[in-house]
Amino acid sequence: MSPHTLNLVERGRNGRTIVDEYKYLLSERDLPKSWYNVVPDLPQPMSPPLHPGTGQPAGPADLEAIFPRALIEQEASSAPRIPIPDPVLDMLRLWRPTPLHRARRLEKALGTPAKIFYKNESVSPAGSHKLNTSIAQAYYNKEQGIKRLATETGAGQWGSALSFACQVFGLECFVYMVKCSYFQKPHRRTLMECWGANCIPSPSDRTIAGRKILAEDPDCPGSLGIAISEAVEDAALRKDTNYALGSVLNHVLLHQTVIGQEALAQLKLAGAFPDVVIGCCGGGSNFAGIAFPFVPLKAGGKQIRLVAVEPAACPTMTKGVYAYDFGDKSGMTPLLKMDTLGHDFIPPGIHAGGLRYHGMAPLVSLLHRAGVVEAVSYTQLKCFEAAVQFARSEGIVVAPETSHAVCCAIDEARNAKEEGKERTILFNLSGHGHFDMAAYEKYFAGELTDYEYPAEKVQEALAHLPRT
Ligand SMILES: *Cc1c(COP(=O)(O)O)cnc(C)c1O
């Protein structure tokens, strides 16, 4: 062996000597058989969702117009683990377990002593983690005899993931897509159509909520809050139709915990344990998916930081307040206690990536306010720079959302180098960016600018928070 090779030899699984593995793989048999529920491990109890009309705690009956009973139960469950039904497991096996990669080429490019691992959720058919929950949600709706699901989508990933899941379980799928994204990313709509779904731009004239907004502002670029109002209205008014949400709610975060459970097993194969776990945060689901299974280990005394990364243009955790707010623009959803920028928030059009929701998952918000989760924000130019560096060393062109996690991982690795410290970094590669080339094109053309959501605007929006 040359001295060069010797440097790369490490002690691996079963004490065997292995040479610099790039990927740690599990077999289909190793797929987690249950979801991990963080609720019993929370440092303080959750504040209940409130009915938007009465302000009283919302009961299961309030949600039955739009969600199936099994998901309503999961939403309120404090069971430590919830078994994954066999038909869901069978579908997850189509692409899971996903690989855990060691970013050796990136480490080398950075000259860092840090070890960087990433969980690659981009290998799902829809190209992101969102299929982990869309499959489960479509399954439970089908079981309850529902024929059609209505939903919203921002950048298009959730709409795509739900389209495929509905196709799998024989449900119709109707997607309200935020108007500016609909025109920025026409291929997303085509992808949804490939999987048999209908997709229209929001605000639309199909719903009362949409017509009202169009009457006030015919050129409204749309927002997730508006599209949610349209989809919830669609579902509430039709008996055969339910609503499905791709993030934020407890049951969605629950379904994503297969990510962190697999990662723990794969890190064991690699003989490593992370000092820091990183995920980008829109509504909080992929971050929760990778980070929540580490919460009990942290509570048990492991030194580990859980870092949620958000865009400076939509700084829900770093600039928002922790308060009860609506989940949508028109105030139709239950009030959730969460980090929020106010339900009137309309993200600036210049922001290329997703991650544009005004609120943060109540579970992530609670852990953030309790100091278990740290939040940081980055502006977009720095994120694209990191994404391009990642693509040039690791090959994968990540989604603009994911670039926030990449950027934070690179920062952590650079800090480790400056401090001359070893550090093991784990981040969630939530999805690839193959449908986001327009954003990369703008970045290369120098057309993207940085934008930080001004604190005054936050104050303005907060004046409209519902009183509880
Ligand atoms: C939807 C999405 C996100 C943001 O949503 P979370 O619920 O915060 O995970 C991040 N990355 C990708 C690839 C997405 O599709």
Side-chain angles (χ1 to χ4, degrees):
M1 255 187 262
S2 73
H4 174 71
T5 313
L6 265 177
N7 282 337
L8 295 173
V9 170
E10 291 179 11
R11 303 298 290 176
R13 61 187 91 166
N14 310 329
R16 270 186 298 135
T17 303
I18 44 170
V19 179
D20 55 324
E21 280 179 296
Y22 287 109
K23 296 188 298 309
Y24 300 90
L25 302 171
L26 299 174
S27 86
E28 289 178 25
R29 260 169 286 127
D30 303 322
L31 192 64
K33 303 294 181 296
S34 60
W35 291 300
Y36 162 73
N37 187 6
V38 78
V39 169
D41 293 322
L42 292 176
Q44 61 207 52
M46 291 276 289
S47 305
L50 302 180
H51 189 282
T54 65
Q56 294 302 308
D62 297 321
L63 299 172
E64 276 180 16
I66 57 170
F67 291 118
R69 278 181 297 275
L71 292 180
I72 296 172
E73 254 167 53
Q74 290 180 5
E75 192 58 25
S77 171
S78 52
R81 304 199 76 90
I82 294 171
I84 306 177
D86 282 340
V88 174
L89 273 178
D90 194 53
M91 274 310 297
L92 294 182
R93 280 195 303 119
L94 207 56
W95 72 96
R96 303 205 74 86
T98 62
L100 178 79
H101 299 247
R102 170 92 184 264
R104 293 182 188 272
R105 292 176 48 83
L106 177 64
E107 290 167 17
K108 210 166 161 200
L110 294 169
T112 177
K115 294 181 177 140
I116 307 174
F117 292 91
Y118 59 96
K119 187 74 170 137
N120 186 1
E121 292 296 307
S122 81
V123 299
S124 88
S128 81
H129 67 290
K130 292 215 171 63
L131 217 48
N132 297 329
T133 183
S134 69
I135 291 289
Q137 293 191 41
Y139 166 77
Y140 288 118
N141 277 290
K142 176 73 178 182
E143 281 291 281
Q144 197 172 297
I146 290 294
K147 301 275 184 274
R148 179 174 172 274
L149 289 181
T151 198
E152 76 292 332
T153 197
Q157 280 112 335
W158 171 241
S160 314
L162 193 68
S163 300
F164 179 52
C166 283
Q167 182 58 229
V168 165
F169 291 106
L171 299 171
E172 244 184 85
C173 184
F174 199 93
V175 183
Y176 296 86
M177 183 167 183
V178 176
K179 196 193 275 169
C180 62
S181 299
Y182 182 91
F183 292 111
Q184 271 168 11
K185 306 182 179 191
H187 298 318
R188 274 284 169 192
R189 185 194 75 220
T190 312
L191 185 63
M192 293 180 229
E193 287 173 357
C194 276
W195 285 321
N198 275 309
C199 172
I200 62 166
S202 161
S204 79
D205 59 9
R206 275 182 62 100
T207 63
I208 303 164
R211 286 194 292 273
K212 184 164 170 247
I213 286 156
L214 286 176
E216 286 164 14
D217 177 9
D219 298 324
C220 176
S223 72
L224 271 177
I226 293 170
I228 293 174
S229 291
E230 290 207 275
V232 169
E233 181 186 322
D234 181 321
L237 295 180
R238 284 182 60 160
K239 206 142 186 62
D240 67 346
T241 300
N242 264 350
Y243 167 70
L245 188 61
S247 186
V248 179
L249 297 179
N250 302 352
H251 66 268
V252 181
L253 275 53
L254 177 81
H255 300 157
Q256 294 296 351
T257 57
V258 288
I259 303 172
Q261 294 184 68
E262 286 177 9
L264 268 164
Q266 288 163 310
L267 285 163
K268 212 169 195 176
L269 292 180
F273 192 82
D275 299 297
V276 53
V277 179
I278 298 164
C280 66
C281 261
S285 74
N286 90 84
F287 169 73
I290 196 151
F292 281 6
F294 289 90
V295 166
L297 301 171
K298 184 175 167 91
K302 282 268 191 196
Q303 293 287 327
I304 177 169
R305 291 163 51 224
L306 310 175
V307 182
V309 193
E310 61 184 12
C314 182
T316 317
M317 289 174 285
T318 49
K319 278 193 184 156
V321 291
Y322 187 45
Y324 271 108
D325 197 5
F326 294 112
D328 68 328
K329 166 82 172 103
S330 336
M332 295 196 301
T333 69
L335 302 178
L336 300 173
K337 180 107 184 252
M338 59 184 174
D339 286 341
T340 180
L341 294 168
H343 58 281
D344 295 324
F345 174 76
I346 294 190
I350 55 164
H351 180 231
L355 313 182
R356 297 193 259 202
Y357 187 56
H358 68 271
M360 183 52 56
L363 283 169
V364 174
S365 301
L366 185 152
L367 287 166
H368 170 227
R369 297 293 162 164
V372 177
V373 163
E374 292 168 38
V376 294
S377 73
Y378 287 113
T379 49
Q380 64 182 354
L381 288 180
K382 191 172 160 172
C383 292
F384 274 99
E385 191 188 319
V388 169
Q389 178 166 33
F390 188 80
R392 288 178 184 176
S393 46
E394 294 295 312
I396 301 174
V397 178
V398 301
E401 293 85 343
T402 311
S403 73
H404 293 75
V406 172
C407 190
C408 181
I410 289 178
D411 262 7
E412 289 285 338
R414 288 215 173 102
N415 289 345
K417 180 180 177 180
E418 270 166 29
E419 294 164 17
K421 283 200 184 124
E422 296 213 349
R423 183 172 300 173
T424 301
I425 299 164
L426 169 66
F427 78 88
N428 198 14
L429 196 157
S430 54
H432 67 62
H434 297 180
F435 290 90
D436 301 287
M437 284 301 126
Y440 278 90
E441 192 178 329
K442 279 195 176 153
Y443 171 68
F444 289 127
E447 287 168 16
L448 290 187
T449 48
D450 276 342
Y451 175 82
E452 291 200 40
Y453 195 64
E456 311 85 73
K457 282 226 160 199
V458 180
Q459 286 314 314
E460 251 175 69
L462 295 184
H464 302 142
L465 283 181
R467 287 177 205 286
T468 54

